[in-house]
Amino acid sequence: MSQVRNHGGDRVVAQLAAGTPALPVLIVSVIVLVAVVCGAGTIWLPLLAAGPALAATTGGPRGVLCVGLLAAVLGATLGTRDGVPGHELTAVLSALAAVTLASGLASALRGRRERVLAAVRSVAEAAQHALLKPVPATVGPFQVAVRYSAAAAEARIGGDLYALVPTPYGVRLIVGDVRGKGLPAVGTAALVLGVFREAAYDEPDLLAVVDRIERSLARNLGVDDFVTAVVAGYPQAGHLEVVNCGHASPLLVRESGAVVAVEPAHPAPPLGLRALTDETPSLQVLAFADGDQLLLYTDGVTEARNHGREFYPLAEGLARHLSDEPAGTLTALHDELLTHVGGRLHDDAALLLLRKPAASASEAAVPEAVSDAGRGSGSRSVSSRSRASAAGAGAGDGSRAAEKAEGTANPGIPVVALSEPE
């Protein structure tokens, strides 16, 4: 029986020792050592209250009580040894007990808040995975990487949005930025992504996908709300379609390493504002060969400033950290961005990098060109019939899609070569 009691007592002592913070114990030990060396215990004894007070910031209530008990025992021992008057020693120990109890209560409240915050973060993380679904490293014929940072780190989600989905009409993606912050921006982002994921599967025409999003936002957004976005698709081998609705221009990286901004030939208003202007989105078709990469981003990246109020030079950073692994490139870019701003972003920032690795020998080569056209069916550089015929092949069956598209291309569409910086 005695062995059982001893074993139980040892276990209790071990649990108490495990819950006792090391730093507060060290501080109490230093104070006791100074009091022993210097004498005059009445002067040093009140400082023992620093132990339980510090324990409240680093440990739980049990650890605070253990530190307070240790400080009280050592204080009473020193006071008796140095002949401190009884009423003074009682006052010091009473103050130490009061500090210990208050610190224990503060520690319990802090622990409760931490548990609530952990639960909120867990819910936010689940919401993020539902809203911004994880993107695999390979989607269709592409290597893909995504980096997203919310300005409110505790929230994990914000007003920036992205999605990349394989569809019967090839891989399609969107990167956008909702005006405003907080829960309203998150709600709008969820609306845009939901409509995009549905329309991307239903609509053969990429401009029709954009129209679906526009109509939905027109019904649900306020007068001053809007969403800037870039919607892209890969309907056939060697061709990448881009629709820019008031968003930052994507960066096209050729296999040679040249970085080119894909500026829209006819700027279009952000999504949700089309009713206020006569401008409509236009479709650009870019040559996208093996080894080429496309970086889409939000203004939280390019508008990030350092202490000297200088913007982050994204194009230069991309050229510096370019590699054959999109994940490595974005990791280096993101780390440099955080260094540029001093460790914390003040706006949501999203980066999505798409790379076309070397294709099979059966894939046809496509000349490097870019075409821009309006919304009319007669002026689009890739006709609806060619997209529909290429849909069955998808992004992976490059040679068959290219042959079909080549046979149905509109010869009247002007083709403009995409110049690269010298």
Side-chain angles (χ1 to χ4, degrees), residues 202-224:
D202 296 341
E203 302 291 348
D205 193 329
L206 192 65
L207 284 173
V209 176
V210 177
D211 290 342
R212 285 266 294 268
I213 300 174
E214 175 68 33
R215 290 196 299 270
S216 179
L217 291 179
R219 292 191 300 267
N220 294 280
L221 287 189
V223 178
D224 298 328

Side-chain angles (χ1 to χ4, degrees), residues 47 216 223 249 384 418:
L47 294 180
S216 179
V223 178
S249 300
S384 299
L418 185 65

Side-chain angles (χ1 to χ4, degrees), residues 93-122:
L93 295 179
S94 298
L96 181 59
V99 171
T100 300
L101 292 176
S103 300
L105 178 60
S107 176
L109 295 176
R110 178 182 58 81
R112 181 181 179 183
R113 287 195 297 269
E114 288 180 350
R115 289 190 294 272
V116 171
L117 180 58
V120 171
R121 285 180 173 175
S122 177

Side-chain angles (χ1 to χ4, degrees), residues 204-209 211 241 243 280-285 371-387 408-414:
D205 193 329
L206 192 65
L207 284 173
V209 176
D211 290 342
E241 297 179 343
V243 179
T280 56
S282 59
L283 186 71
Q284 288 179 287
V285 181
S371 173
D372 179 82
R375 294 184 58 219
S377 59
S379 62
R380 288 174 186 159
S381 53
V382 179
S383 67
S384 299
R385 187 177 64 171
S386 69
R387 290 195 199 97
T408 57
N410 188 342
I413 297 298

Side-chain angles (χ1 to χ4, degrees), residues 1-11:
M1 182 68 69
S2 61
Q3 291 180 351
V4 174
R5 290 176 181 172
N6 291 337
H7 180 68
D10 293 342
R11 184 168 56 184

Side-chain angles (χ1 to χ4, degrees), residues 62-77:
R62 185 174 59 185
V64 173
L65 295 178
C66 289
V67 174
L69 180 61
L70 176 63
V73 171
L74 293 177
T77 302

Side-chain angles (χ1 to χ4, degrees), residues 24 189 234 247 371:
Y234 191 72
H247 197 73
S371 173

